[in-house]
Amino acid sequence: MAGSPTKQDLIWRSVQELAINGDKPPARYIFCDGDGEQIDGSPPLFPVPVIDVSLITSSTSQSSKEDEELEKLQSALSSCGCFQAVGHGISSSFLDKVREVAKLFFELPTEEKQKYSRAVDELQGYGTDQVLSEHQILDWSDRMFLGVHPEDQRKLKLWPENPRAFREVLHEFTANIKFISEILLKAMARSLKLEENCFLNQFGEQSTMIARFNYYPHCARPDLVLGVKPHADGSGITILLQDREVEGLQLLENDRWVRVPIIPDALFVNVGDQVQIMSNGIFKSPVHRVVTNSERERITLAVFYMPQKEKEIGPEDGLIDEKRPRLFKKVKNYADIYFQYYQAGKRPIDAAKI
Ligand code: OGA
Ligand code: NI
């Protein structure tokens, strides 16, 4: 089609298609140019703490091994705000199956994928970075966003039927992730000497779980674009299945970017803003970003576990005293606040600060 592209064209042109010709990325994707700070694809590797989930599942049989692991968990979440979970019970072959259905989906022809397109004002479905303003710098990635919990609110017409196993695999994987998330939230409470259900109670009966498949095509100029701009997650906790081979995730640690290593069978877990609030700031919601590379695509699956909509959340009473005054207000519908602040280029958690 002749003429300059309309806004609609910009929205629907996938980054996957843009990447095919191997040209320099269009201006709207350039995060920094030439003399600005260049995007460093290989800063130092950060030794993200490794936590064995199988050691922290039981609240009854207190063992010294468990205490030790809980202490490690507490220390990880209060420092870098994340860890690599091993011993989580999901088999290596099933993790690969999840990666496989994701890969097969993104390999489908454009028209096939667009059957599941996100409507302009919706969050769920297949699409690119949501275009919120003319001046926004766009992420070098395509994504598939699907609500998985509560189950009766799933928008199944957006769930791919191709590849055949997609729905079943996503269902099974996220059921496992929910189970693991609940174990982790209990362990996190115990690690702070709190009643083990206190965080989970704040999530409520109708807690929300959203799956986001991220597709990062290779890019001719990885020094100029970001797969995902710097952000902290608005979730309670996030569980990320990384690509088995291709790195890209970076964390902001003491004002420096560091690389998150790949442990193929581990799940990368990070605190989101809402658990930072519930823990009265003891657990940190880390700022992170994704870089691309010039050779290989990268596919990840992030699962965001969030409190029930409309439910008020706030710092646990047991974590407030003279030495540590209350740092956050009670908030409701944090997802909406998050969106407004993010859109304005502000850090969303500041909205909840006292
Ligand atoms: C996210 C995210 C990291 C990755 O989806 O919020 O930070 O490595 N993803 O894909
Ligand atoms: Ni994130």
Side-chain angles (χ1 to χ4, degrees):
M1 206 175 21
S4 57
T6 63
K7 194 168 173 191
Q8 198 65 19
D9 291 333
L10 289 173
I11 293 169
W12 294 110
R13 189 85 193 277
S14 72
V15 177
Q16 189 171 17
E17 289 171 291
L18 282 178
I20 289 170
N21 62 20
D23 292 345
K24 185 182 170 187
R28 298 204 72 194
Y29 292 87
I30 310 280
F31 189 76
C32 65
D33 210 342
D35 41 38
E37 175 223 2
Q38 295 237 313
I39 292 154
D40 183 359
S42 43
L45 207 54
F46 181 72
V48 176
V50 177
I51 302 287
D52 185 342
V53 183
S54 70
L55 295 176
I56 53 173
T57 49
S58 69
S59 48
T60 42
S61 65
Q62 287 279 334
S63 67
S64 63
K65 262 209 160 133
E66 174 169 35
D67 289 345
E68 217 175 278
E69 208 65 8
L70 287 177
E71 215 164 285
K72 255 169 74 184
L73 178 71
Q74 201 264 352
S75 146
L77 298 183
S78 343
S79 53
C80 60
C82 61
F83 62 92
Q84 305 263 20
V86 297
H88 46 64
I90 306 181
S91 71
S92 176
S93 61
F94 189 65
L95 294 180
D96 280 343
K97 207 162 168 183
V98 177
R99 292 178 173 117
E100 182 65 14
V101 294
K103 184 167 166 359
L104 290 172
F105 172 73
F106 287 110
E107 276 173 359
L108 292 174
T110 305
E111 317 80 71
E112 181 67 21
K113 286 190 292 256
Q114 285 187 345
K115 287 184 188 163
Y116 310 102
S117 282
R118 169 171 67 72
V120 179
D121 298 322
E122 294 280 330
L123 195 63
Q124 293 192 43
Y126 167 68
T128 52
D129 196 4
Q130 205 162 7
V131 178
L132 303 165
S133 81
E134 292 293 320
H135 308 292
Q136 181 184 340
I137 296 160
L138 300 177
D139 290 343
W140 192 258
S141 56
D142 298 327
R143 41 191 83 138
M144 178 68 166
F145 228 126
L146 296 170
V148 291
H149 207 265
E151 233 178 286
D152 59 4
Q153 289 170 26
R154 289 181 181 177
K155 296 189 170 163
L156 280 181
K157 67 176 197 313
L158 296 173
W159 287 48
E161 284 179 292
N162 188 0
R164 281 277 291 278
F166 187 100
R167 290 182 173 192
E168 190 190 317
V169 169
L170 180 60
H171 174 80
E172 187 178 337
F173 180 67
T174 50
N176 280 301
I177 293 297
K178 187 161 189 287
F179 183 73
I180 295 165
S181 302
E182 286 164 5
I183 289 173
L184 292 177
L185 283 162
K186 287 187 195 181
M188 284 157 64
R190 295 206 307 281
S191 81
L192 295 170
K193 313 278 180 270
L194 298 171
E195 194 280 310
E196 71 168 359
N197 287 309
C198 69
F199 292 139
L200 270 177
N201 290 341
Q202 293 212 48
F203 276 67
E205 290 285 306
Q206 293 277 85
S207 55
T208 305
M209 194 168 251
I210 297 179
R212 171 160 128 171
F213 293 86
N214 297 300
Y215 179 81
Y216 306 101
H218 64 84
C219 181
R221 295 296 305 273
D223 55 327
L224 301 180
V225 305
L226 284 172
V228 184
K229 287 179 284 296
H231 67 283
D233 292 343
S235 59
I237 61 171
T238 303
I239 299 197
L240 179 77
L241 176 65
Q242 288 214 76
D243 194 286
R244 180 172 274 281
E245 288 166 358
V246 185
E247 269 183 24
L249 179 59
Q250 299 187 347
L251 287 176
L252 193 60
E253 263 287 299
N254 302 318
D255 294 327
R256 294 256 166 96
W257 290 106
V258 291
R259 276 150 62 215
V260 171
I262 294 176
I263 303 180
D265 294 337
L267 297 165
F268 176 82
V269 182
N270 67 268
V271 170
D273 289 353
Q274 300 195 62
V275 162
Q276 178 166 341
I277 294 169
M278 291 179 197
S279 68
N280 199 26
I282 294 176
F283 292 156
K284 305 283 181 330
S285 170
V287 173
H288 52 284
R289 70 178 188 182
V290 176
V291 299
T292 60
N293 72 82
S294 58
E295 270 138 48
R296 301 184 70 183
E297 64 183 21
R298 175 171 182 266
I299 302 177
T300 64
L301 172 54
V303 182
F304 304 102
Y305 190 41
M306 294 181 284
Q308 179 176 337
K309 268 197 153 180
E310 309 290 336
K311 203 164 181 314
E312 197 170 63
I313 61 142
E316 282 296 326
D317 289 336
L319 300 175
I320 301 170
D321 57 30
E322 292 102 67
K323 283 223 300 272
R324 175 172 276 278
R326 169 191 281 273
L327 293 181
F328 298 100
K329 297 180 265 205
K330 290 192 169 166
V331 291
K332 253 195 331 199
N333 289 328
Y334 186 76
D336 297 344
I337 302 172
Y338 184 90
F339 193 67
Q340 285 164 22
Y341 266 63
Y342 187 73
Q343 189 170 10
K346 293 188 280 188
R347 179 108 203 245
I349 201 162
D350 289 343
K353 283 202 176 126
I354 285 182

